Amino acid sequence: MAENSAETARNAAVETALGKLDLDTKTRLLGGQDMWSLPALPEIGLKSLVMSDGPIGVRGVRWTADDPSVALPSPTALAAAWDPALARRAGRLLAQEARRKGVHVLLAPTVNLHRSPLGGRHFEAYSEDPHLTGAIGTGYVQGVQDGGVGTTVKHFVANDAETDRFTVDNKVAPRPLREVYLAPFEAIVKNAHPWGIMTAYNQVNGVTMTEHRHLVEEVLRGEWGFDGCNVSDWMAARSTTGDIEGGLDVAMPGPHTVYGEALAAAVRAGEVEESAVDAAVRNVLRLAARVGALEGAPAVVTEHPAAVDGDALAREIARRSFVLVRNENRALPLRSGTVALSGAAARDARVLGGGSAQVFPDHVVSPLAGLTAALPEGALTFTVGADPSDELTPAGANSPGFTLRARCRDAEGRILGEGSLPNGQVQWIGDDLPAGVTHEALASIEVLGTFTPRESGEHAFGTRGLGAFALTVGGVPVFEGVQAMGPETDPFEAFFGSPVERAKVALTAGEPVEVSLLHTLDKEFAAPLPAVMFSFVHLGPRRDPDELITEAVEAARAADTAVVVVATTERVESEGFDRKDLALPGRQDDLVRAVAAANPNTVVVVNAGSPVEMPWREDVAAVLLSWFPGQEGGDALADVLTGAEEPGGRLPTTWPAALADVPVTEVTPTEGVLDYTEGVFIGYRAWDRAGAVPAYAFGHGLGYTAWTYDSLTATPETVTVRLTNTGDRPGREVVQIYLAPVSTEPTGVRSTTAERPARWLAAFANVGAAPGETVETGIALPRRAFEIWDEEKNDWVFVPGAYEVVAAHSLTDARLTATLEL
């Protein structure tokens, strides 16, 4: 009752505020005033609404490490825990971080699907399965909004690959669009009531998503009842009349957008009804009211949840997400004795993915640090073995020892201001500039500081980006020149593209040297919005790869257990491009094979956000998938390897043996069009249809205890499963409920419409039990699990008939079955 009266008060405050605004002010409110915020309107008591990336942490409005962010495990990791309650706790932590940083709206979660394993940004999305995606996304949104912070569920819709993402036309038939790609958004809207949606860059069936009136106004708002604010992806809004009529409320970023003056002029010219502007402003004001940014409107949340320990939660999510896909002869937990650890990724951990999801935690626990702390002194040795990358990377990102700052000057050489840098990557977009610096006055940036190498030898230094550079190491100029545009189509691509080595300098371990990279700006290479984007890059001394592998083999041979950490890099998995293959970069496969040949008790930890090929998987004792595990990943890894905790994860995505086996791989448009010809058959549904066998099935994951499934009862509404922990330690089990139609061609429905997957995930539950304990879990079966979208009727249709209800440990590990007649 109290919430109803608060909602009434909010709506009244919104209408009162709206009534005080003239046309120009209203249209100004619908466009960003800068990169991350909307304008304040003091005359109606409206604060500036501030938005921030991202899904694993709240970066805030600055690209800086001065205000660090908790870095949680990646979204694929969160989904691998199969626990919406855990996702809700993650959301509450992120709301806490947002409030600390003055952020009202989080630009997350990403609920696009893993349509093809080649999708470059899949680490930022949850799963190949729409039901699992919707459930985890629901928990996440509930958690963030529990803390009084808004979410923008993204990217609406069918934004499932990165290639030509600004322009691609994704052709999706009505049935897969409804059953697969819209399904997670629908579940989250109906179950979590998000305060925001972000519309995608791409087109769907010939209409750009920011202008897609049918999907936004008729489906999202009309059918599902979404009453939140619809925000464009950054630079996605391209048509003043098309966007406002298509239901887009806010065009980001500013200060120049298709709204503002252009929208006011369109209204005055009779091209747009002012009522359409009012509807959009109403949605913005409602969002402001909900987050407490509109005077006279009670915020939805007046008492925040209890404070969350970010480090502890990051560690818990990581260990709950790790998926043990192989464990021969109980190689894990580690037996007592010595451990030979190898892999550059064990020392320089990759804990998060590249692109807009990036945040800067105040510390990162690597696998080497975590295991060193957890194992007895003298039990652990480390060798590099193999490095995932032989490319230069931003100084300090993978090579500690750099302390850097940026000094900004005007055209006369006067210092405008200075700012600290988290690493050698300068990424200032919009007003994200050091104090006192403006884009108008800025003429050059000097990245300068000190570098204390950890290894003696020849260190390579270089640049990434376009324009003029002058590089100095140890007081000696080593390069001066201009990087012109290559085959790239825009400056952003050049920024994320290949680094260029400019000089090699012999340095001594432990002896600091001064470094400087001066970058002079040139209008010829200006970015499409106010931005400064370039990198000072570095690569440490390169040793002979065979020699490194030999060292790792010798250490492995002398140890009781060998642990090899392999990883992808930012050039493999990142926003902005798709993957070309699923191979691990560098000589990492060679390292694993060589170590496994020397020590049969070899454990491989795979540090990747999405699937990679593991051609050696049958030759090693154990394989543990750690995803991008967040800032506490090393301690969580030690928890799991030593057996202090069990790996709690199950695969949220099918893991192929080889790319050649994958049924759906296409991510590259043909003449601008990417046709989703596979229909509803993505992920495990496609594998089943093709009769192909992956390396590890959807839902697979091993623990450190054993479970028996004792009984299963099923009604059309509920499945009840009783199970027992028959092992000798506490554990968690993910009970997965799949439906399999006994007949795939029900009467009364055209067979072309009704071709259904062999089975699909209908529900799941995450349960825990002590050794010997029996637990019972009741799991709701949603009616939608028995429905299909009938393209002829343009509606959901309940499909009667016989269904096999399967309680399973994974897709291919059924434990109990029952038959339902509907």
Side-chain angles (χ1 to χ4, degrees):
M1 208 60 179
E3 176 49 36
N4 286 342
S5 63
E7 181 74 12
T8 301
R10 275 193 295 276
N11 289 336
V14 164
E15 294 305 321
T16 300
L18 177 61
K20 295 177 179 177
L21 300 179
D22 61 24
L23 175 63
D24 293 300
T25 307
K26 287 187 288 194
T27 59
R28 185 161 58 88
L29 182 59
L30 301 182
Q33 67 176 350
D34 53 28
M35 189 67 184
W36 302 111
S37 68
L38 298 182
L41 299 177
E43 62 269 31
I44 59 168
L46 177 67
K47 297 176 186 172
S48 172
L49 275 174
V50 179
M51 310 175 204
S52 172
D53 289 321
I56 65 149
V58 184
R59 190 171 62 244
V61 300
R62 301 286 310 280
W63 188 265
T64 175
D66 292 346
D67 183 12
S69 311
V70 173
L72 295 177
S74 65
T76 41
L78 188 61
W82 287 62
D83 190 348
L86 185 64
R88 190 166 190 165
R89 290 170 57 206
R92 288 183 170 187
L93 169 67
L94 294 173
Q96 176 179 299
E97 285 277 281
R99 295 193 306 270
R100 180 175 68 79
K101 293 190 175 217
V103 168
H104 302 104
V105 179
L106 195 58
L107 302 173
T110 300
V111 299
N112 301 115
L113 295 177
H114 298 175
R115 175 177 167 269
S116 158
L118 294 176
R121 201 176 180 181
H122 280 350
F123 61 87
E124 201 180 317
Y126 293 128
S127 170
E128 68 188 26
D129 181 77
H131 178 74
L132 177 59
T133 296
I136 301 301
T138 293
Y140 181 102
V141 168
Q142 288 171 331
V144 174
Q145 294 184 177
D146 285 346
V149 174
T151 55
T152 53
V153 187
K154 64 184 188 183
H155 308 83
F156 188 74
V157 61
N159 183 213
D160 310 297
E162 294 294 281
T163 304
D164 296 344
R165 62 179 175 157
F166 288 91
T167 57
V168 62
D169 181 10
N170 293 322
K171 295 287 186 188
V172 194
R175 185 174 165 221
L177 187 59
R178 290 283 188 159
E179 292 186 24
V180 179
Y181 300 100
L182 286 170
F185 290 95
E186 181 182 8
I188 294 168
V189 167
K190 290 185 174 178
N191 297 320
H193 309 291
W195 301 341
I197 290 279
M198 183 189 290
T199 42
Y201 293 121
N202 54 280
Q203 301 175 55
V204 171
N205 299 327
V207 182
T208 300
M209 275 310 305
T210 55
E211 304 171 36
H212 213 305
R213 184 173 182 81
H214 167 62
L215 290 179
V216 172
E217 290 294 317
E218 296 173 16
V219 177
L220 175 64
R221 294 194 189 279
E223 290 182 29
W224 303 347
F226 173 69
D227 66 353
C229 184
N230 178 13
V231 180
S232 75
D233 203 342
W234 265 226
M235 299 189 299
R238 285 160 270 190
S239 166
T240 299
T241 56
D243 287 330
I244 196 72
E245 290 172 357
L248 182 72
D249 299 323
V250 173
M252 291 296 289
H256 306 295
T257 74
V258 297
Y259 285 169
E261 291 178 6
L263 180 54
V267 172
R268 292 188 174 107
E271 297 165 3
V272 171
E273 294 290 333
E274 189 166 355
S275 59
V277 174
D278 288 346
V281 173
R282 189 175 285 113
N283 291 332
V284 173
L285 293 174
R286 187 184 297 114
L287 172 61
R290 284 169 165 166
V291 300
L294 180 65
E295 284 178 20
V300 171
V301 176
T302 52
E303 285 188 33
H304 298 127
V308 181
D309 182 328
D311 293 356
L313 183 59
R315 186 169 179 168
E316 180 185 350
I317 294 172
R319 67 177 185 247
R320 292 274 308 277
S321 75
F322 291 166
V323 181
L324 184 60
V325 294
R326 179 177 172 85
N327 194 21
E328 295 300 295
N329 302 318
R330 300 190 73 168
L332 291 177
L334 292 171
R335 300 156 195 168
S336 58
T338 54
V339 175
L341 178 65
S342 63
R347 180 186 63 190
D348 304 315
R350 187 171 184 207
V351 301
L352 44 76
S356 62
Q358 191 165 10
V359 297
F360 304 105
D362 67 1
H363 66 274
V364 168
V365 183
S366 68
L368 175 57
L371 285 167
T372 299
L375 295 175
E377 191 172 346
L380 184 72
T381 62
F382 171 72
T383 55
V384 172
D387 199 314
S389 174
D390 56 3
E391 277 193 341
L392 290 81
T393 56
N398 293 316
S399 47
F402 285 92
T403 303
L404 301 172
R405 63 190 189 280
R407 179 174 293 162
C408 301
R409 291 185 172 89
D410 64 14
E412 281 70 49
R414 290 186 293 261
I415 295 176
L416 299 171
E418 286 195 4
S420 63
L421 290 174
N423 54 50
Q425 181 169 308
V426 176
Q427 184 168 315
W428 298 334
I429 303 177
D431 293 338
D432 183 8
L433 292 167
V437 181
T438 64
H439 285 285
E440 291 72 26
L442 183 61
S444 70
I445 306 98
E446 184 182 10
V447 175
L448 71 164
T450 59
F451 172 48
T452 306
R454 65 183 174 190
E455 296 168 298
S456 296
E458 283 204 323
H459 288 254
F461 296 90
T463 63
R464 183 168 69 177
L466 301 174
F469 295 100
L471 176 63
T472 302
V473 179
V476 179
V478 293
F479 171 77
E480 186 168 355
V482 176
Q483 178 65 45
M485 181 78 85
E488 302 90 358
T489 54
D490 65 59
F492 281 130
E493 191 174 349
F495 170 71
F496 288 115
S498 299
V500 182
E501 181 182 308
R502 302 299 188 185
K504 278 196 169 78
V505 182
L507 300 176
T508 304
E511 292 187 8
V513 293
E514 292 187 353
V515 293
S516 162
L517 177 68
L518 177 64
H519 176 49
T520 306
L521 299 180
D522 186 331
K523 295 285 187 284
E524 180 188 345
F525 302 118
L529 75 170
V532 179
M533 304 171 73
F534 70 98
S535 295
F536 169 39
V537 294
H538 164 264
L539 184 66
R542 296 289 90 186
R543 290 179 52 202
D544 178 77
D546 291 326
E547 195 177 293
L548 290 175
I549 291 175
T550 298
E551 279 184 6
V553 166
E554 288 170 357
R557 190 174 284 119
D560 295 301
T561 304
V563 176
V564 185
V565 180
V566 296
T568 59
T569 68
E570 196 166 312
R571 293 297 303 279
V572 174
E573 288 185 272
S574 179
E575 180 179 350
F577 54 85
D578 290 312
R579 299 163 73 183
K580 300 292 183 257
D581 56 48
L582 303 182
L584 284 168
R587 295 283 302 279
Q588 295 182 102
D589 285 335
D590 293 340
L591 171 66
V592 173
R593 288 190 185 96
V595 168
N599 189 329
N601 199 33
T602 292
V603 175
V604 182
V605 178
V606 181
N607 180 193
S610 45
V612 294
E613 292 174 353
M614 301 183 294
W616 32 259
R617 68 188 185 283
E618 302 291 342
D619 304 324
V620 300
V623 179
L624 181 72
L625 310 179
S626 69
W627 313 106
F628 296 147
Q631 65 180 47
E632 308 298 324
D635 281 339
L637 180 63
D639 290 341
V640 166
L641 292 184
T642 61
E645 302 285 348
E646 74 165 355
R650 305 292 184 264
L651 284 179
T653 285
T654 305
W655 204 280
L659 179 60
D661 302 335
V662 179
V664 180
T665 58
E666 192 57 70
V667 292
T668 304
T670 301
E671 297 181 353
V673 175
L674 185 60
D675 201 336
Y676 287 31
T677 54
E678 68 283 349
V680 299
F681 295 93
I682 68 165
Y684 62 84
R685 306 167 182 218
W687 287 87
D688 276 349
R689 189 190 200 196
V693 179
Y696 302 108
F698 177 81
H700 173 64
L702 308 171
Y704 289 159
T705 189
W707 297 86
T708 60
Y709 282 54
D710 305 324
S711 66
L712 164 68
T713 56
T715 72
E717 292 80 33
T718 309
V719 174
T720 303
V721 181
R722 182 186 292 268
L723 62 163
T724 303
N725 178 355
T726 57
D728 56 5
R729 56 175 293 153
R732 297 187 75 87
E733 173 72 337
V734 177
V735 180
Q736 302 166 38
I737 305 299
Y738 295 91
L739 291 182
V742 176
S743 166
T744 57
E745 295 199 12
T747 9
V749 186
R750 292 181 303 122
S751 60
T752 52
T753 304
E755 187 192 1
R756 290 187 290 173
R759 50 197 165 170
W760 56 87
L761 180 71
F764 63 91
N766 200 300
V767 298
E773 184 183 2
T774 297
V775 290
E776 187 172 275
T777 180
I779 310 169
L781 268 184
R783 178 181 171 86
R784 181 60 55 79
F786 300 98
E787 294 179 334
I788 62 169
W789 183 261
D790 188 304
E791 294 182 345
E792 202 168 66
K793 295 181 178 177
N794 198 37
D795 202 357
W796 291 101
V797 173
F798 184 83
V799 183
Y803 290 85
E804 192 175 55
V805 180
V806 183
H809 175 78
S810 77
L811 181 78
T812 55
D813 187 358
R815 299 295 174 89
L816 294 172
T817 61
T819 301
L820 271 181
E821 286 281 353
L822 301 176

